[in-house]
């Protein structure tokens, strides 16, 4: 038996061949859109020196996907990234020479040190219990990281939770001392550190009536003893992170100062260990803002005057001095407001760049100011660069690095972050590279089939003269010799399209998009939450087209677009180029929410409504002036229509033409819609129907017909449905030739419930999984699952009559251990074999919908997963495997045979063996050969889409989350193509040899026969 | 045509050497001739019964062969099964020819009505062979007996309701 199982395993194990690596699959790693909330997480240049004296430049950034990443400045490739856990939010990072220090978790609970060039984690220290962390708003308040003032091997000073300062070793992360504010209940929250050789200053804010007062504490850097502490008379009303601490590493003898804005005036307070000084005021202008450009260690910052013009102010031994005012920087309708950013060059001199967009020239402009050049008078060099605002939105952040190759010449490199999530590198006016980091945040995506390549020649016009026709056909015939040679070569050698070859088009072709022989090439249409829609070639992951969403009327006030659902409304089978409709919610900055539809051609990204130019932003159609409840795709006689339900349950249809409406009228009475209704915490499933009559608004309004209240301790967490794939077989034939008919009720809906998030945590709270008839609310299947601390980490998939769900079981007992479980459930019609009920065409009013027999089995799963999806093939004949994104950042497939709920508990009988059932084994094998992602790290996968290819055996797998990963799987092996090792040449030679033999032997035989006749 | 040729073949065969019919007829009395004819007819009837039961006699051997050929669908077992299935039909198609040599002189040798009992027995025995073949087919799973064999031909219509989720 053991041997049999082993043989079986060997037979079905199909690892990737080495020649398929990188050919049939691709992986695009991302870091996520840079986190721009505070200066301490924004992109920053970092130049690390190698041992051979060379230095290389990188861009470091923390991202919205909770990743700390470094890009190579040269080519934009990802140098390294560190994935933080979801509950361990990255709050700040600082870099110094060869290390990057990062603080994360609530209140700065975790402190990590990374190697800046390779990203190795050097040390990790838990500074306090994450549950004891103070949650500040914004999260960067109350935490800070600073490096010491030593020449070499600077220690790291870390401020956490707003009142605890520690000094940690740079190498090991060991705490040498810690200091906690004695009075933690006081309203002082520290948020900045300044380290001088003699003193560590902590800058905090004390909440007082209607404003904040600055509070400073000075400590000894060696022992952490308190030197002094006190308030500075000040009133800060806006912006908690506004006060700056200025020092100057170039002139260490300069006294550091605190700078803040108070009623339009810049005030400064020199820091001395005893805190005995008086604040001074920078005179000369009224300011509305001061900006830390990351050069406070170099004593420079930018102050914005009340007319909008920017001034560079520098700390000098004599106090603060205005050293520059950017010309033409006042607020003007001709340009946008300026973004200021500071950077340094190789020699450590500071530069300040001002970047703005000129409406008149449609160009971006950058001015770079270097204070030390032109004999200390300051030098500004400017340039414009062709930033494509129609493609990347607007610039939201700038990081700058400068070089000064000769006097009076400054070369600047700008790392831009845009509102669509792109990170761009510009060297002066040359675009070096672009990373579409917005693709790390895809809420919805679809795979769209490509049309066939048009080979047959056709004339452009109907009326073509004879001469023109002959000329055209001669022109077409010029490729014939090549075609004939190709044909013969293909015929003889069998060099057909191979299933394990790349389907990517050769580089530099301008051919229109077309599918390959097996339909492996598709277009992935993906919408990001950063307002952009992408068309991605599934052959190699290249971006084919991209469109920026227009905001419609909300462009005046600003807003953002949240994609909700995506539907393929026209496929290549409908005869024309495929089209995609994206349903989104537009949240305008004035609080209004609208439902907007975008309708594009999936091959080109062109607006299918012809309302916007292909170079401009994509304009949508406001289908509902209000939030969306649910959107559906409805197949009608006239094609596919998108149905949107608004909050009054009015039915809005797109496209809204007469043909669609008439087709819709016919099927409206048979439409059943289960919706989640009720307030959060008591959500129930309510069934709706649509009446034939139209309300006075001219729209149908859906009305509730039934309601399925779950117990009060349960709230709906997720709803999942069966994919609309074809079902090849209506039953499962057993070894004795009887049939178990599959329960294929078309109205089956899966619901995961859990304790309401509003309810207090209790030990008894549980999660549940239901299968419900969505047309009448009957519960078909129900299982209660354990809940871990009020959370429901249940992942489920439903395909045909097969339900698979995965959960964490934390119950312990005799013969019971904690661990991940996967349960495989199959539903069959009736109560036994051959009990046919024809469930797939059954009316929901039939009594027989509840006549179900359930087969289920639980297995121990090797590890936690993020999502799971069954494979999908064009006719549903191939076995359906389960594709899983596991916690090890891998995509792995689990064969259906191991998950079969009918695996016998004893040695399989002859009949069971005939069904290829194998004996039940509680542990699912964790087969490394079934890791589809090989050695890639496919991080934070959110969803896996499977899509059929033209080959029945093959299913395309696309995983997205932080990274994009695409591959193809053949769950039943590629039974519909000749194997790679098939030797067609040999076959042809054999046939030719036989033909030759016949040709030679035939006359000989004829002669011999003739002779026999004569002599007989 | 060919059958008449066959009949004439054995009807008008020349007597073997030293077995002249004229001699016997001349020497034997008419009574002894009648006795000889009667015993000849009896012999033919007996031979006809032998032929009628011959398929049944080979059944044990065929059963043994089936047992030896195994339950798998292979070339040997398929050959035997094919033989078992086809031979009854072949035999029944040529039943009149097979019994023609044993037909009594009084009746026409090619008629279906001659030797009716023997022919019925022959048919039954051939049906036994066929049954054995079918039993083998069933045990090999080649007969569409279960619902599973007809599943691929089942169709389902569209459901009356459309669920939007």
């Amino acid at each position: 038996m053991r041997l049999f199982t082993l043989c079986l395993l060997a037979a079905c194990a199909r690892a990737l061949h080495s020649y398929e690596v990188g050919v049939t699959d691709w992986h695009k790693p991302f870091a996520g859109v840079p986190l721009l909330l505070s200066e301490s997480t924004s992109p920053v240049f970092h130049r690390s020196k190698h041992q051979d004296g060379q230095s290389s430049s990188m861009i470091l950034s923390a991202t919205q996907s909770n990743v700390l990443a470094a890009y190579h400045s040269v080519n934009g490739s990802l140098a390294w990234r560190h994935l933080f856990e979801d509950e361990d939010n990255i709050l700040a990072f600082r870099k110094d020479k060869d290390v990057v220090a990062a603080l994360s978790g609530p209140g700065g609970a975790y402190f990590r040190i990374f190697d800046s060039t390779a990203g190795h984690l050097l040390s990790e220290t838990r500074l306090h219990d994450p549950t004891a962390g103070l949650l500040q708003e914004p999260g960067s308040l109350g935490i800070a990281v600073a490096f010491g003032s030593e020449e070499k091997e600077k220690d790291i000073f870390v401020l956490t939770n707003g009142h605890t300062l520690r000094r940690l070793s740079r190498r090991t992360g060991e705490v040498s001392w810690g200091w906690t504010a004695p009075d933690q209940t006081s309203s002082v929250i520290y948020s900045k550190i300044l380290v001088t050789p003699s003193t560590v200053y902590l800058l905090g804010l004390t909440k007082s009536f209607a404003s904040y007062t600055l509070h400073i504490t000075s400590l000894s850097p060696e022992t952490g003893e308190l030197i002094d502490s006190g308030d500075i008379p000040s009133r800060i009303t806006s912006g908690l992170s506004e006060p700056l601490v200025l020092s100057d590493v170039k002139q260490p003898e300069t006294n550091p100062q605190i700078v803040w804005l108070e009623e339009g005036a810049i005030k400064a307070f020199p820091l001395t260990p005893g805190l005995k000084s008086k604040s001074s005021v920078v005179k000369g202008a009224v300011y509305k803002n001061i900006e830390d450009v990351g050069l406070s260690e170099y004593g420079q910052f930018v102050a914005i005057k009340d007319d909008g013009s920017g001034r560079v102010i520098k700390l000098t031994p004599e106090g603060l001095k205005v050293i520059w005012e950017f010309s033409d920087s006042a607020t003007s309708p001709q340009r946008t407001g300026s973004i200021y950013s500071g950077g340094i060059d190789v020699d450590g001199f500071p530069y300040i760049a001002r970047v703005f967009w000129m409406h008149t020239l449609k160009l971006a402009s950058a001015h770079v100011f270097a204070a030390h050049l032109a004999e200390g008078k300051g030098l500004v060099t400017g340039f414009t660069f062709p930033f494509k605002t129609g493609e990347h939105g607007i610039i939201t952040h700038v990081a700058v690095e400068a070089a000064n190759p000769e006097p009076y010449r400054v070369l600047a490199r700008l790392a831009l972050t845009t509102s669509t999530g792109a990170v761009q590198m510009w060297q002066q006016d040359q675009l070096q590279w672009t990373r579409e980091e917005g693709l790390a945040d895809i809420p919805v995506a679809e795979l769209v089939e490509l049309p066939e390549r048009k080979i047959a020649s056709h004339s452009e016009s109907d009326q073509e003269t004879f001469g023109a026709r002959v000329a055209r056909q001669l022109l077409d015939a010029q490729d014939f010799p090549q075609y004939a040679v190709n044909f013969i070569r293909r015929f003889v050698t069998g060099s057909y399209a191979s299933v394990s070859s790349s389907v990517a088009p050769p580089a530099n072709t301008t051919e229109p998009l077309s599918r390959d022989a097996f339909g492996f090439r598709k277009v992935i249409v993906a919408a990001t939450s950063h307002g952009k829609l992408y068309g991605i070639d599934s052959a190699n992951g290249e971006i084919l087209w991209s469109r920026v969403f227009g905001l419609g009327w909300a462009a005046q006030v600003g807003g953002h677009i949240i994609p909700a659902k995506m539907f393929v409304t026209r496929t290549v089978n409908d005869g024309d180029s495929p089209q995609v409709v994206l349903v989104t919610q537009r949240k305008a900055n004035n609080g209004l929410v609208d439902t907007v539809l975008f309708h594009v051609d999936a091959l080109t990204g062109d607006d299918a409504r012809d309302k916007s130019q292909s170079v401009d932003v994509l304009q949508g159609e406001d289908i509902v002036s209000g939030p969306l409840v649910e959107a559906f795709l409805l197949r009608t006689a006239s094609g596919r229509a998108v149905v949107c339900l608004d909050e009054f349950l009015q039915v809005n249809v797109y496209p809204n033409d007469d043909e669609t409406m008439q087709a819709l009228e016919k099927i409206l009475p048979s439409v059943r819609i289960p919706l989640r209704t009720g307030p959060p915490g008591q959500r129930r499933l309510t069934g709706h129907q649509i009446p034939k009559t139209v309300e006075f608004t001219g729209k149908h309004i859906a009305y509730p017909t039934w309601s399925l209240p779950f117990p009060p301790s349960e709230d709906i967490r997720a709803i999942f449905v069966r994919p609309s794939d074809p079902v090849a077989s209506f039953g499962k034939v057993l070894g004795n030739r009887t049939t178990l008919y599959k329960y294929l009720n078309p109205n089956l809906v899966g619901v995961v419930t859990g304790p309401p998030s509003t309810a207090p945590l209790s030990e008894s709270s549980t999660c549940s999984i239901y299968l419900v008839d969505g047309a009448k609310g009957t519960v078909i299947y129900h299982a209660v699952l354990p809940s871990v601390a009020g959370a429901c980490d249940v992942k489920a998939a439903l395909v045909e009559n097969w339900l698979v769900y995965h959960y964490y079981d934390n119950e312990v007992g005799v013969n019971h251990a904690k661990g991940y479980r996967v349960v495989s459930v199959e539903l069959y019609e009736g109560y036994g074999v051959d009990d046919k009920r024809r469930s797939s065409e059954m009316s929901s009013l039939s009594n027989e919908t509840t006549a179900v027999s359930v087969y289920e089995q639980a297995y121990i799963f090797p590890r936690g997963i993020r999502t799971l999806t069954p494979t999908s093939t064009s006719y549903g004949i191939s076995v359906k495997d389960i594709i899983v994104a596991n916690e090890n950042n891998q995509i792995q497939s689990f064969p259906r045979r191991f998950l079969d709920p009918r695996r016998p508990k004893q040695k399989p009988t002859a009949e069971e063996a005939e069904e290829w059932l194998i004996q039940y084994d509680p542990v699912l094998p964790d087969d490394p050969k079934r890791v589809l992602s090989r050695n890639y790290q496919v991080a934070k996968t959110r969803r896996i889409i499977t899509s059929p290819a033209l080959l029945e055996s093959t299913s395309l797998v696309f995983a997205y989350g932080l990274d994009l990963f695409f591959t193809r799987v053949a769950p039943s092996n590629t039974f519909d193509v000749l194997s790679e090792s098939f030797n067609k040449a040999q076959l042809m030679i054999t046939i030719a040899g036989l033909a030759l033999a016949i040709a030679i032997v035939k006359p000989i035989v004829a002669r011999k026969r003739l002779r026999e006749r004569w002599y007989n | 045509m060919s059958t008449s040729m066959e009949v004439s073949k054995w009807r008008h065969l020349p007597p073997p050497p030293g077995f002249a019919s004229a001699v016997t007829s001349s020497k034997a009395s008419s009574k002894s001739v009648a006795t000889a004819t009667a015993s000849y007819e009896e012999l033919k009837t007996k031979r006809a019964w032998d032929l009628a039961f011959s398929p049944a006699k080979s059944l044990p051997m065929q059963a043994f062969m089936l047992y030896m050929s195994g339950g798998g669908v292979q070339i040997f077992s398929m050959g035997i099964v094919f033989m078992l299935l086809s031979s009854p039909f072949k035999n029944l198609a040529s039943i009149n020819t097979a019994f023609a040599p044993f037909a009594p002189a009084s009746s026409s040798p090619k008629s279906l009505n001659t030797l009716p009992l023997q022919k019925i027995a022959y048919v039954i025995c051939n049906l036994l062979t066929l049954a054995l073949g079918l039993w083998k087919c069933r045990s090999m799973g080649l007969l569409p007996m279960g619902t599973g064999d007809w599943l691929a031909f089942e169709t389902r219509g569209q459901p009356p309701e459309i669920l939007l989720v």
Side-chain angles (χ1 to χ4, degrees):
Chain A
M1 178 58 216
R2 183 62 45 91
L3 195 71
F4 172 71
T5 316
L6 272 179
C7 294
L8 206 72
L9 286 178
C12 60
R14 197 201 78 95
L16 193 79
H17 294 290
S18 58
Y19 56 78
E20 291 174 332
V21 166
V23 176
T24 60
D25 59 357
W26 52 261
H27 172 237
K28 300 271 168 200
F30 290 99
V33 180
L35 192 59
L36 304 175
L37 287 176
S38 78
E39 199 58 41
S40 55
T41 58
S42 301
V44 62
F45 276 96
H46 174 63
R47 187 165 279 280
S48 51
K49 288 199 170 64
H50 299 301
Q51 284 166 345
D52 56 1
Q54 297 285 317
S55 67
S56 64
S57 168
M58 290 198 293
I59 299 165
L60 296 170
S61 180
T63 71
Q64 295 176 17
S65 305
N66 214 14
V67 172
L68 182 63
Y71 312 112
H72 290 296
S73 303
V74 180
N75 53 13
S77 62
L78 207 55
W80 55 268
R81 63 177 179 178
H82 183 83
L83 310 171
F84 286 73
E85 297 287 325
D86 290 341
E87 61 275 11
D88 187 18
N89 282 319
I90 178 160
L91 299 174
F93 73 90
R94 287 293 295 271
K95 42 111 187 163
D96 179 64
K97 289 179 184 144
D98 58 339
V99 294
V100 180
L103 206 52
S104 62
Y110 293 97
F111 176 73
R112 293 183 181 85
I113 305 173
F114 301 93
D115 174 47
S116 71
T117 48
H120 299 311
L121 181 64
L122 300 178
S123 81
E124 178 177 318
T125 313
R126 196 176 92 147
L127 300 178
H128 59 251
D129 187 359
T131 53
L134 295 179
L135 287 173
Q136 308 280 2
E137 196 55 48
S140 59
L141 185 70
I143 53 125
V145 182
F147 286 92
S149 56
E150 296 90 344
E151 273 299 303
K152 282 182 169 182
E153 295 295 307
K154 296 173 182 171
D155 271 0
I156 304 169
F157 293 83
V158 179
L159 171 71
T160 56
N161 251 354
H163 56 248
T164 307
L165 182 74
R166 290 181 182 86
R167 177 175 175 155
L168 293 98
S169 155
R170 175 197 187 88
R171 292 280 151 223
T172 60
E174 244 174 273
V175 180
S176 53
W177 54 258
W179 173 86
T180 303
D183 185 12
Q184 291 176 25
T185 53
S186 80
S187 50
V188 178
I189 294 174
Y190 295 101
S191 57
K192 299 229 159 162
I193 312 171
L194 178 72
V195 185
T196 63
S198 60
T199 326
V200 179
Y201 296 98
L202 275 181
L203 172 64
L205 292 171
T206 313
K207 205 173 204 169
S208 58
F209 188 70
S211 67
Y212 295 95
T213 309
L214 281 171
H215 184 92
I216 295 173
T217 302
S218 56
L219 304 162
S220 155
E222 299 305 324
T223 59
E225 276 172 39
L226 181 72
I227 299 174
D228 207 340
S229 177
D231 283 349
I232 304 173
S234 56
R235 277 192 337 116
I236 294 172
T237 49
S238 68
L240 296 172
S241 59
E242 208 168 65
L244 305 178
V245 189
L246 293 184
S247 60
D248 197 343
V249 289
K250 293 277 173 192
Q251 293 166 305
E253 65 281 0
T254 312
N255 220 4
Q257 296 206 358
I258 299 175
V259 178
W260 72 96
L261 190 70
E262 192 174 321
E263 288 169 347
I266 293 175
K267 291 196 172 180
F269 180 83
L271 287 171
T272 51
L275 306 178
K276 303 275 188 296
S277 25
K278 285 191 75 179
S279 56
S280 58
V281 181
V282 179
K283 295 190 182 68
V286 179
Y287 296 95
K288 65 175 183 185
N289 198 9
I290 55 173
E291 280 185 27
D292 182 6
V293 293
L295 293 178
S296 54
E297 287 177 13
Y298 297 86
Q300 294 186 7
F301 69 98
V302 172
I304 314 292
K305 290 205 297 185
D306 58 353
D307 66 347
S309 50
R311 282 179 163 187
V312 179
I313 297 179
K314 188 176 190 304
L315 176 73
T316 61
E318 298 86 46
L320 294 175
K321 257 171 70 179
V322 177
I323 57 170
W324 194 265
E325 178 165 338
F326 284 102
S327 58
D328 294 334
S329 57
T331 310
S332 154
Q334 291 174 357
R335 55 181 173 260
T336 61
S338 305
I339 299 171
Y340 296 95
S341 176
I344 54 172
D345 65 6
V346 186
D347 305 318
F349 286 107
Y351 295 78
I352 292 180
R354 165 189 169 226
V355 176
F356 56 97
W357 173 258
M358 294 183 292
H359 295 302
T360 46
L361 296 175
K362 300 278 178 206
L363 286 172
S365 180
H367 292 174
V368 182
F369 168 72
H372 64 285
L373 293 181
E375 288 92 33
K377 291 201 284 281
L379 176 75
V380 159
T381 46
F383 58 93
T384 60
F385 56 98
F387 177 75
K388 286 185 182 149
T389 189
E391 211 172 291
H392 299 294
I394 55 170
I395 302 169
T396 50
H397 182 267
V398 177
V400 62
E401 184 188 51
N404 181 22
E406 50 197 80
Y408 299 103
R409 180 143 180 259
V410 172
L411 287 179
R413 284 212 281 191
L414 304 175
L416 308 183
T417 307
T418 74
S419 60
T420 62
V423 177
Q424 284 192 324
M425 170 67 86
W426 291 84
Q427 180 151 355
Q428 297 289 89
D429 56 350
Q430 296 296 316
L431 178 64
Q432 302 291 306
W433 48 261
T434 303
R435 284 186 68 91
E436 294 285 358
E437 289 292 347
L439 287 173
D441 190 6
I442 300 176
V444 288
E446 284 290 340
L447 266 71
V448 182
E449 211 175 312
L450 288 173
E452 260 182 297
R453 191 160 54 146
K454 291 192 174 60
I455 300 170
S457 119
H458 64 100
S459 72
E460 302 294 321
S461 65
D462 292 336
Q463 287 143 1
E464 185 181 40
T465 62
F466 177 73
R469 172 177 288 244
V470 170
R472 176 172 59 78
Q473 290 179 343
L474 278 179
L475 206 67
D476 289 345
Q478 67 178 359
D479 292 336
F480 179 75
Q482 193 193 350
Y483 170 79
V485 168
N486 270 343
F487 179 82
I488 292 164
R489 200 189 57 209
R490 202 179 66 215
F491 187 73
V492 172
T493 60
S495 63
Y496 296 108
S498 157
V499 275
S500 62
S501 64
S502 170
V503 293
N508 308 322
T509 48
T510 50
E511 270 183 41
L513 276 179
S514 59
R515 71 163 165 77
D516 61 303
F518 300 126
F520 293 154
R521 192 177 178 209
K522 293 196 173 189
V523 174
I524 301 163
V525 181
T528 70
S529 17
H530 300 275
K532 207 169 169 184
L533 186 68
Y534 296 87
I536 301 167
D537 190 346
S538 83
N540 50 13
E542 297 299 318
I543 293 170
L544 296 167
W545 51 264
S546 64
R547 298 300 300 267
V548 175
F549 299 133
L551 288 174
W553 63 262
Q556 305 296 325
V557 293
H560 60 282
I561 292 211
I562 306 162
K565 281 200 170 178
M566 189 186 283
F567 303 110
V568 180
T569 52
R570 196 165 79 185
T571 65
V572 285
N573 299 330
D574 302 331
D576 216 333
S577 65
Q579 291 183 346
V580 166
V581 165
L582 177 70
V583 184
T584 64
Q585 302 222 61
R586 181 181 58 213
K587 287 207 166 117
N589 285 355
N590 59 9
L592 292 179
V593 179
D594 290 314
T595 304
V596 186
L597 283 181
F598 295 94
H599 190 182
V600 296
D601 185 313
L603 302 184
T604 59
D606 289 340
D607 190 352
R609 302 186 308 125
D610 286 333
K611 292 281 164 60
S612 42
Q613 296 293 314
S614 57
V615 290
D616 208 1
V617 293
L618 184 68
Q619 293 301 342
E621 176 170 319
D622 294 19
I623 187 160
V624 180
S625 314
L628 174 78
V629 170
E630 213 38 272
F632 313 102
L633 183 71
L634 191 57
R635 287 177 177 81
T636 65
S638 69
R640 300 173 194 210
V642 176
V643 175
C644 296
L645 289 186
D646 61 17
E647 45 185 349
F648 308 109
L649 298 181
Q650 293 190 108
V651 178
N652 300 277
V653 185
Y654 178 86
N656 201 358
D657 51 16
D658 289 341
E659 194 189 356
T660 313
M661 291 310 285
Q662 279 168 8
L664 198 69
E665 293 288 339
K666 277 186 205 140
I667 58 169
L668 270 187
S670 59
V671 167
R672 306 282 184 274
I673 309 171
L675 288 175
R676 265 182 271 200
T677 54
Q682 302 159 31
R683 274 176 296 194
R684 55 176 69 193
L685 202 63
T686 309
H688 290 79
Q689 286 186 28
I690 301 171
K692 267 196 117 91
T693 51
V694 174
E695 294 293 317
F696 66 94
T697 51
K699 285 173 181 162
H700 299 276
I701 294 183
Y703 61 93
T705 50
W706 54 264
S707 171
L708 179 65
F710 294 107
S713 61
E714 292 180 15
D715 187 24
I716 297 180
R717 292 288 178 101
I719 289 183
F720 57 96
V721 288
R722 175 161 50 201
S724 60
D725 289 350
V727 178
S729 170
F730 296 110
K732 170 92 186 121
V733 181
L734 309 188
N736 59 4
R737 334 287 288 293
T738 52
T739 309
L740 279 171
Y741 285 92
K742 291 178 184 171
Y743 183 75
L744 296 169
N745 183 350
N747 303 328
L748 213 54
V749 176
V751 182
V752 176
T753 64
S757 48
T758 50
L761 282 183
S762 77
E763 285 297 308
S764 62
S765 62
T766 55
C767 305
S768 275
I769 188 162
Y770 293 88
L771 287 184
V772 175
D773 186 321
K776 62 177 174 183
T778 315
V779 174
I780 309 285
Y781 172 85
H782 175 212
V784 178
L785 310 175
S787 158
V788 183
C792 275
D793 192 21
V794 180
K795 308 283 187 302
L798 180 65
V799 61
E800 291 192 1
N801 63 331
W802 188 30
L803 167 72
V804 184
Y805 56 90
H806 175 279
Y807 65 96
Y808 181 72
D809 191 353
N810 63 342
E811 283 168 24
V812 272
V814 180
N815 296 331
H816 203 111
K818 287 183 180 186
Y820 291 99
R821 307 269 188 276
V822 66
V823 180
S824 172
V825 185
E826 272 186 336
L827 307 174
Y828 289 101
E829 290 177 11
Y831 302 106
V833 294
D834 288 347
D835 192 353
K836 179 158 64 174
R837 309 284 172 118
R838 305 182 77 86
S839 57
S840 60
E841 58 179 32
M842 199 183 277
S843 159
S844 66
L845 302 174
S846 166
N847 272 337
E848 297 193 332
T849 48
T850 53
V852 183
S853 44
V854 176
Y855 294 80
E856 55 186 330
Q857 238 156 32
Y859 298 93
I860 295 170
F861 204 77
R863 56 177 63 89
I865 61 169
R866 292 181 182 275
T867 180
L868 80 170
T869 311
T871 57
S872 152
T873 54
S874 49
Y875 299 104
I877 299 168
S878 297
V879 171
K880 288 185 162 50
D881 281 359
I882 296 289
I883 312 282
V884 158
N886 68 26
E887 276 180 345
N888 287 7
N889 298 319
Q890 291 170 326
I891 309 293
Q892 195 172 9
S893 85
F894 281 86
R896 148 90 205 180
R897 185 177 290 163
F898 289 110
L899 288 166
D900 198 316
R902 294 179 53 250
R903 280 173 72 174
K905 291 273 165 56
Q906 68 295 328
K907 189 172 180 285
T909 61
E911 283 181 356
E912 284 163 346
E914 209 170 301
E915 284 185 65
W916 292 98
L917 290 173
I918 45 176
Q919 190 172 353
Y920 176 76
D921 186 9
V923 180
L924 279 184
D926 181 19
D927 187 358
K929 275 186 282 192
R930 294 193 165 274
V931 174
L932 305 176
S933 54
R934 304 189 281 118
N935 54 352
Y936 297 138
Q937 185 191 43
V938 185
K940 305 197 179 198
T941 303
R942 187 185 292 190
R943 201 182 140 208
I944 300 173
I945 303 180
T946 55
S947 171
L950 282 185
L951 276 187
E952 166 57 30
S953 63
T954 308
S955 174
L956 308 176
V957 178
F958 174 57
Y960 63 84
L962 179 63
D963 296 349
L964 305 183
F965 172 72
F966 186 92
T967 189
R968 45 199 198 224
V969 289
S972 308
N973 293 341
T974 48
F975 57 82
D976 44 5
V977 279
L978 281 178
S979 79
E980 292 289 315
S981 56
F982 178 74
N983 194 342
K984 187 166 179 194
Q986 192 181 23
L987 182 71
M988 292 307 296
I989 290 168
T990 312
I991 290 173
L994 286 173
L996 190 71
I998 288 171
I1000 294 169
V1001 169
K1002 205 173 183 180
I1004 298 174
V1005 171
R1007 229 176 301 142
K1008 197 182 171 200
R1009 275 197 180 154
L1010 187 64
R1011 196 176 299 173
E1012 274 174 358
R1013 292 245 167 130
W1014 270 108
Y1015 292 104
N1016 262 0
Chain B
M1 284 272 268
S2 63
T3 49
S4 67
M5 285 275 285
E6 279 171 30
V7 170
S8 62
K9 234 183 197 171
W10 52 263
R11 267 278 155 94
H12 306 292
L13 278 177
F19 195 77
S21 59
V23 175
T24 36
S25 64
S26 64
K27 278 187 180 172
S29 65
S30 66
K31 193 182 177 186
S32 66
V33 168
T35 319
T37 316
S39 72
Y40 184 55
E41 288 297 319
E42 200 181 316
L43 190 65
K44 280 209 277 189
T45 318
K46 205 178 159 218
R47 292 298 308 280
W49 278 115
D50 279 350
L51 179 67
F53 288 118
S54 66
K57 281 178 187 157
S58 62
L59 270 182
M61 186 200 66
Q62 280 163 340
F64 182 70
M65 276 166 68
L66 285 183
Y67 171 73
M68 292 305 285
S69 68
V73 182
Q74 303 146 2
I75 186 81
F76 288 110
S77 55
M78 286 316 292
I80 291 164
V81 167
F82 184 73
M83 188 195 76
L84 279 178
L85 290 181
S86 59
S87 65
F89 293 101
K90 238 188 275 171
N91 289 345
L92 293 182
S94 59
I95 185 168
N96 290 333
T97 327
F99 280 95
F102 313 118
S106 55
S107 59
S108 95
K110 297 295 289 177
S111 165
L112 189 66
N113 298 331
T114 42
L115 300 171
L117 286 176
Q118 284 89 334
K119 284 188 180 172
I120 288 169
Y122 187 67
V123 168
I124 289 171
C125 290
N126 271 305
L127 286 179
L128 280 179
T129 317
L130 184 68
L132 184 70
L134 289 176
W135 174 81
K136 181 66 183 173
C137 279
R138 200 193 68 106
S139 67
M140 282 162 73
L142 296 175
L143 281 192
M145 300 277 287
T147 48
D149 300 305
W150 304 101
L151 184 68
F153 302 99
E154 288 197 24
T155 52
R156 297 283 189 273
Q158 286 295 314
E161 288 115 359
I162 301 167
L163 189 77
L164 294 184
V165 188

